[in-house]
Amino acid sequence: LCCVHHTPNWLFRSGFVGIIEYFAAMIIPMPAMGPMGGPPTPYALARRPWVQCILVLQSLCCLARMVVFLDIMGAFLMAIMIAVGFCAIREDFNVQLLCYWGLMCLINGSFDLVKLIDVLVKSHMPLFSSKFSQEYNIANAIALSIPVTTLLGVPLAWWIYRDWAAGGEADQLPGPGMRVSQGEAPNETSSLLGGRGSAQFTAFEGQGRRLGSG
């Protein structure tokens, strides 16, 4: 009863999305990102199959992590991350949930990668070898695929967030350096170089022709 009394009232009204955002803010304290409402951009909708593909790969790795390595805690944390990603797709590709998913991918993937590097450094056995059994190579392949599939969600979530922050006006993505179209950059450069742009020169030319004809 005490927990229910101190729980915000909006948590009961906002449904599953509000619960995810509330507990994500409790687990990962960070500055408020602000509401990210509105329909998804065309770029985000075009990258929806890629997000689904990464989530499926993460789900397979999570299942293998629990069955092969019996890593219950790691699989549980990874399952929470996957649930946030699928919830973002279910909620009309919610950008805020995608940002939470990308942040959790960064944290979980970094820990899993450091854990894998630590094991490889301390071990005198190679990661893959034909001298060892097939089970050994398969287990190491699963151990390598866990951080790889987890970290794949980080750049994808980042590009979707950058596209949302730009108002969906980016012409070429992925890549943060390709957000300005080729037709816009010369105009901005010419306007910054001194105020004698092509538009001003054309206007001056037109006035000269009118004075000569008179």
Side-chain angles (χ1 to χ4, degrees):
L1 294 177
C2 181
C3 295
V4 175
H5 177 72
H6 292 286
T7 304
N9 294 329
W10 59 266
L11 186 61
F12 298 99
R13 299 193 301 265
S14 55
F16 186 66
V17 179
I19 296 175
I20 291 294
E21 294 177 357
Y22 177 72
F23 285 104
M26 291 178 59
I27 297 173
I28 309 173
M30 58 181 299
M33 301 173 63
M36 297 181 181
T41 62
Y43 173 79
L45 293 177
R47 296 305 181 270
R48 183 169 183 167
W50 291 96
V51 176
Q52 293 175 340
C53 180
I54 292 177
L55 286 172
V56 171
L57 293 177
Q58 291 177 352
S59 301
L60 294 176
C61 290
C62 181
L63 180 62
R65 184 175 192 167
M66 182 171 54
V67 174
V68 176
F69 300 116
L70 298 178
D71 187 5
I72 306 300
M73 180 59 67
F76 175 72
L77 295 176
M78 196 172 182
I80 295 177
M81 174 192 70
I82 296 170
V84 174
F86 277 115
C87 181
I89 296 178
R90 179 177 175 272
E91 297 295 330
D92 197 16
F93 222 60
N94 188 281
V95 179
Q96 191 159 7
L97 290 179
L98 283 174
C99 291
Y100 288 138
W101 172 66
L103 183 62
M104 296 177 72
C105 287
L106 177 61
I107 296 175
N108 291 341
S110 299
F111 278 107
D112 292 333
L113 182 60
V114 171
K115 182 179 178 180
L116 178 63
I117 294 175
D118 181 70
V119 172
L120 292 177
V121 169
K122 296 180 180 179
S123 176
H124 299 286
M125 302 172 64
L127 185 61
F128 301 105
S129 177
S130 58
K131 299 179 180 179
F132 297 100
S133 62
Q134 185 178 4
E135 290 79 7
Y136 173 85
N137 293 323
I138 292 177
N140 286 342
I142 295 174
L144 180 62
S145 62
I146 289 174
V148 171
T149 56
T150 303
L151 292 174
L152 282 177
V154 177
L156 190 57
W158 170 251
W159 291 330
I160 293 175
Y161 168 74
R162 289 291 302 273
D163 179 72
W164 174 86
E169 297 179 356
D171 294 331
Q172 297 181 8
L173 281 175
M178 302 175 62
R179 301 187 60 83
V180 180
S181 63
Q182 296 179 356
E184 294 177 354
N187 293 334
E188 294 177 356
T189 305
S190 60
S191 63
L192 292 174
L193 287 180
R196 291 188 178 182
S198 59
Q200 295 179 358
F201 181 77
T202 304
F204 179 77
E205 229 178 38
Q207 294 177 0
R209 285 196 297 269
R210 287 197 296 270
L211 289 175
S213 62

